[in-house]
Structures are given as C-alpha cells and as structure tokens.
Amino acid sequence: MKIIALFLTILALCFTTSSYATPPNGWWAAPSDEYQIGVDRSDPEQPAAFIEATVPAPKQFITLSQTISANVYRAKRVRLKGMIKTKDVASWAGFWLRADDGKNKIVAFDNMQRRGISGTTDWTTAEIVLDIPSDAEKLFFGLILDGKGKAWMRELTFEVVDDSVPVTAPKRTDLPNTPVNMNFDE
C-alpha cells in the first residue's frame, strides 16, 4: 500500500512540475524543458495562448505553431494578424510564417525577429504578410519566444489580402553588387 502511495505521489509530482503542457487544440510545440506552453483563461471572454521560459537563460527559442495545407493560399498574399503581450522578454517574441514545397524546402519565410517585441508590453497588434508561392504545399505559423520571459497571443486571423497590403519581410537593400574582401585583407 505504501509503495502505491509513493508511486502516486511521484507520478503527481512529475505531472505538476513538468515544464511542458498540452498545446491548445490544433496547435503544436516541440517538447522542451526550458519552456511552458498553455492557455491563459484569466479573461474568459478572450483566452490567450502563451509561452513562458521556465529557466533563467533558455538555450534556444520555441514556437507554438499550427500547420495547414497551402492549397487555398497558393499564389496569394496572406496575412497572419493578432495581438501579442509580453512580460520580461529579454530577447524577442513575435509571429512567424513559413511556406514549404512538396520536398519540405522552404519557399517563403518571414518572422518578426528584426521587429520583435521585447520587455514588458500590453496587448499590441502584430502581423506577418507574405506572398505564398504557387509551389507551396504546407504553411507553418505561430508565436516565437526567444529567450527568457513570457509571451501571449490572442485574436488571431489568417486571411488572403490584396497586393495593396505590403509584405512585412524586409527587402535587402544593403547587399553589395559584387563580392567584397575576397583576400580577407580588410
């Protein structure tokens, strides 16, 4: 009897101290000992999914993601838009969106790394706008948290937009026209 009680106690501790929780229905995240994921229902009118670091200095980022078919989005411009809130985010948090072809090659990608949200912020509108190539097979999107802190997302939309909505991936205008420092003497 004592062995069963000890086993149940250990089992309960394992489930209550685990840093990985079940993602919201329809979403996925890689298991991690450095982050916790879940749904914050403190506002029952607007539940929010969250990612929270459980260690002081996570070694890698994590995403809370969804994967869908690209069938209805091929050769169209799409926008992932929603609200993000952060608490003590040391590096950055934001949305990401990627399109892969049938061979799992990335054919389009954008994330908010260069315009990410850090520190502690109230709910802020954020978006990714990306052109989906005609050879896209799958779309991946969601929330990234890189480093310590906590990030929430809610009120998400995923929609086709027209060409009057600019893409959010920055165009590289700082690239040189020819190779530079090929002898490494600079």
Side-chain angles (χ1 to χ4, degrees), residues 10-38:
I10 291 170
L11 190 61
L13 285 172
C14 288
F15 282 108
T16 58
T17 60
S18 172
S19 61
Y20 186 75
T22 303
N25 187 31
W27 295 83
W28 58 270
S32 171
D33 291 333
E34 298 182 327
Y35 294 95
Q36 176 182 5
I37 58 161

Side-chain angles (χ1 to χ4, degrees), residues 22 38 112 148 162 172 179:
T22 303
M112 293 178 59
K148 78 172 199 161
D162 64 38
R172 293 290 310 262

Side-chain angles (χ1 to χ4, degrees), residues 84-175:
I84 297 175
K85 179 172 92 167
T86 59
K87 180 180 179 193
D88 300 328
V89 171
S91 184
W92 70 279
F95 292 135
W96 72 289
L97 173 57
R98 185 179 93 202
D100 286 9
D101 67 11
K103 297 178 182 177
N104 296 319
K105 177 183 166 204
I106 299 170
V107 293
F109 176 80
D110 188 18
N111 69 28
M112 293 178 59
Q113 184 173 10
R114 291 193 174 142
R115 58 190 188 281
I117 302 168
S118 60
T120 299
T121 65
D122 201 356
W123 290 107
T124 304
T125 301
E127 67 182 15
I128 297 278
V129 179
L130 189 65
D131 289 326
I132 306 302
S134 59
D135 61 343
E137 290 290 326
K138 295 180 276 190
L139 302 180
F140 303 85
F141 60 90
L143 178 67
I144 295 176
L145 176 58
D146 184 17
K148 78 172 199 161
K150 185 173 184 177
W152 295 260
M153 66 176 168
R154 70 178 190 199
E155 301 175 49
L156 299 180
T157 59
F158 193 88
E159 63 185 341
V160 173
V161 295
D162 64 38
D163 289 345
S164 69
V165 179
V167 294
T168 53
K171 300 274 188 220
R172 293 290 310 262
T173 58
D174 60 338
L175 298 176

